[in-house]
Amino acid sequence: MRLALPPWSGTLAAKAAAFITVMCCALAALLGVLVHVQVTNQTVGQARDQALQRLAQATQRYEAGDTLRRGAGVDPPELPGELRELAVAGDRGTMVADSEGRPTMWAAGPVDGERALAVAVDYSQQARTIEGLDRAIVWSSGLAIGATLLVGAFAVTRVTRRLHTTARVARRISAGDLDARVNDPRTGPRTPAGAQDEVAAVAAALDSMAASLQGKLLAEQRFTADVAHELRTPLTGLHAAAELLPPGRPTELVRDRVAALRTLTEDLLEISRLDTGRERVELDTEQLGPLAERAVRAAGDGTEVRVVRDVSVETDRRRLERVLGNLVANAHKHGRGPVVLTVDGPVVTVRDHGDGFPEYLVAHGPQRFRTEGGTRGHGLGLTIARGQAEVLGARLEFANAPEGGAVATLRLAAE
């Protein structure tokens, strides 16, 4: 079982702070240990030399029969047992131990067989020096770690702020705002090439990608609008000529194809207007149930309307009828009956009982001029429905029912 980590632990700032903290603590501990060991060895060494020197002087005085000075004696009771055993064995040695509540450096050596001559040197000053050094190491390490964390947090925050800006712009571009740009200050024309860091390189690549994508989409939109406008004039003449043909099956076929071309041209013109983003809605308060029934009647017979809960919505009636009409027409053309339109508050669903929407449509939404399964159509009906829904401020979702069939759900804002 893996331990669940808090969400903030996955951020770059948290990881950088943890890394800086660990490295600072490790470095401070290493330097502190080195300084402590070096100073302690030097201090203890000086105290040991002083104690051994006094032991040598005390030994000379003892052997000469002179009186021992203060701090020296034979087998003093405060002498540590380990050091006494070492001296009795014939060796000289030193040891730090407490004597009368104070740290003392002891030095002892053998005299008169199994007796020990020892001297005691006050070690309080050296002990206080080492303790003060340890405190200074701890405080200085803490200050160094704190200062390094502040500087590191400032530096990392600047980088993460730029990364968050880049991610936010990428999400805006993904949502359709192709005018969004990062405009990182380090990607300007006057910035030397060597001064750009990795974040600036990512920002520049994103801006370049957005500009290229915007240029291609604008070119596609202009092409669509130009083609639709250019087709209107010859189609008008073709429609007039078809009306003059004598009655018969060939004439019906020609008129049917001309009508299909006119519908396609009008759809292309509508998509080009939606692509420009300049459509304006004419809002009015409408009862959703009766409006849905009118849209179904205009789209043709064969659709069941169920009003579970009727509400008033502030919407553009013409555009909403266009959305519902396209959804119903698509259900009849590409699905199977029965087709049911359900109004449940501000939510309208159109359900058929066919094979369902293609996987690409459910995952990515409708795509113009793309159909699957050999079905008739040019894929513009659902594209227009989604575009008009966005103009209305509604959300259009596509899914497949578990038991089969396509389900289109339109969510409107209730009044």
Side-chain angles (χ1 to χ4, degrees):
M1 180 177 179
R2 297 183 61 183
L3 184 63
L5 297 176
W8 56 264
S9 63
T11 62
L12 179 61
K15 292 178 179 178
F19 177 77
I20 293 173
T21 302
V22 171
M23 293 304 297
C24 287
C25 291
L27 183 60
L30 178 61
L31 292 177
V33 169
L34 291 177
V35 173
H36 172 82
V37 170
Q38 182 68 23
V39 174
T40 301
N41 289 339
Q42 183 178 1
T43 304
V44 171
Q46 291 175 352
R48 181 182 294 115
D49 292 341
Q50 182 182 4
L52 290 175
Q53 184 179 4
R54 290 191 180 182
L55 177 62
Q57 294 174 355
T59 302
Q60 292 177 358
R61 295 181 68 84
Y62 180 80
E63 291 176 350
D66 297 336
T67 304
L68 297 178
R69 294 180 178 178
R70 184 179 180 182
V74 177
D75 289 335
E78 298 88 0
L79 181 64
E82 296 179 2
L83 187 57
R84 182 189 302 275
E85 294 176 0
L86 180 66
V88 170
D91 294 324
R92 300 174 66 189
T94 59
M95 178 181 289
V96 177
D98 287 338
S99 177
E100 298 180 358
R102 294 184 304 175
T104 302
M105 173 65 75
W106 288 93
V111 293
D112 295 341
E114 295 183 357
R115 303 180 69 189
L117 175 62
V119 295
V121 178
D122 187 10
Y123 192 72
S124 301
Q125 180 63 38
Q126 292 85 344
R128 286 193 295 270
T129 301
I130 295 176
E131 291 177 359
L133 175 66
D134 291 341
R135 286 195 298 269
I137 290 175
V138 171
W139 281 104
S140 60
S141 298
L143 291 176
I145 292 173
T148 305
L149 279 176
L150 289 177
V151 175
F154 175 74
V156 172
T157 302
R158 291 189 62 186
V159 174
T160 54
R161 186 184 301 116
R162 293 166 63 198
L163 287 174
H164 286 313
T165 301
T166 303
R168 184 168 58 252
V169 171
R171 286 191 291 267
R172 288 174 56 190
I173 294 173
S174 177
D177 184 7
L178 297 182
D179 292 323
R181 296 292 185 273
V182 180
N183 292 326
D184 193 284
R186 298 194 182 186
T187 60
R190 297 183 179 180
T191 303
Q196 292 188 3
D197 57 9
E198 290 78 2
V199 179
V202 172
L206 181 63
D207 288 347
S208 176
M209 180 196 70
S212 176
L213 181 62
Q214 186 178 37
K216 291 179 180 179
L217 289 179
L218 290 176
E220 178 185 341
Q221 293 171 5
R222 284 195 298 268
F223 175 77
T224 302
D226 293 342
V227 168
H229 281 289
E230 292 297 329
L231 286 176
R232 294 189 78 178
T233 300
L235 280 177
T236 301
L238 189 60
H239 176 73
E243 294 296 326
L244 298 177
L245 293 176
R249 181 58 182 169
T251 299
E252 293 178 0
L253 292 176
V254 171
R255 290 176 179 174
D256 179 66
R257 293 299 86 196
V258 170
L261 281 175
R262 292 189 68 180
T263 300
L264 175 60
T265 302
E266 294 301 324
D267 287 347
L268 288 174
L269 286 172
E270 186 171 358
I271 284 181
S272 66
R273 290 192 298 268
L274 291 172
D275 286 340
T276 60
R278 300 174 183 173
E279 293 285 87
R280 296 292 180 268
V281 295
E282 298 177 1
L283 297 178
D284 198 2
T285 301
E286 300 283 346
Q287 285 296 122
L288 192 53
L291 189 149
E293 293 175 351
R294 290 196 302 269
V296 168
R297 285 197 300 269
D301 297 331
T303 302
E304 179 185 356
V305 178
R306 299 175 182 173
V307 180
V308 178
R309 180 169 60 93
D310 197 7
V311 294
S312 296
V313 293
E314 189 176 7
T315 185
D316 188 320
R317 179 181 58 81
R318 179 183 64 83
R319 295 183 189 277
L320 182 54
E321 289 180 352
R322 174 68 160 157
V323 173
L324 298 179
N326 280 16
L327 295 179
V328 170
N330 182 82
H332 282 289
K333 182 181 293 185
H334 301 292
R336 289 191 298 270
V339 177
V340 181
L341 185 149
T342 304
V343 177
D344 188 0
V347 179
V348 181
T349 58
V350 178
R351 163 80 188 280
D352 64 53
H353 293 76
D355 298 329
F357 290 122
E359 292 184 2
Y360 81 87
L361 193 148
V362 175
H364 306 291
Q367 301 177 19
R368 60 191 71 175
F369 299 109
R370 178 174 179 178
T371 56
E372 290 189 358
T375 56
R376 294 179 57 193
H378 41 70
L380 297 182
L382 294 182
T383 304
I384 292 174
R386 168 166 281 189
Q388 294 289 10
E390 291 177 354
V391 173
L392 293 173
R395 189 168 73 254
L396 182 58
E397 302 169 349
F398 302 95
N400 291 321
E403 60 273 18
V407 182
T409 304
L410 180 67
R411 302 182 187 277
L412 297 162
E415 189 178 26

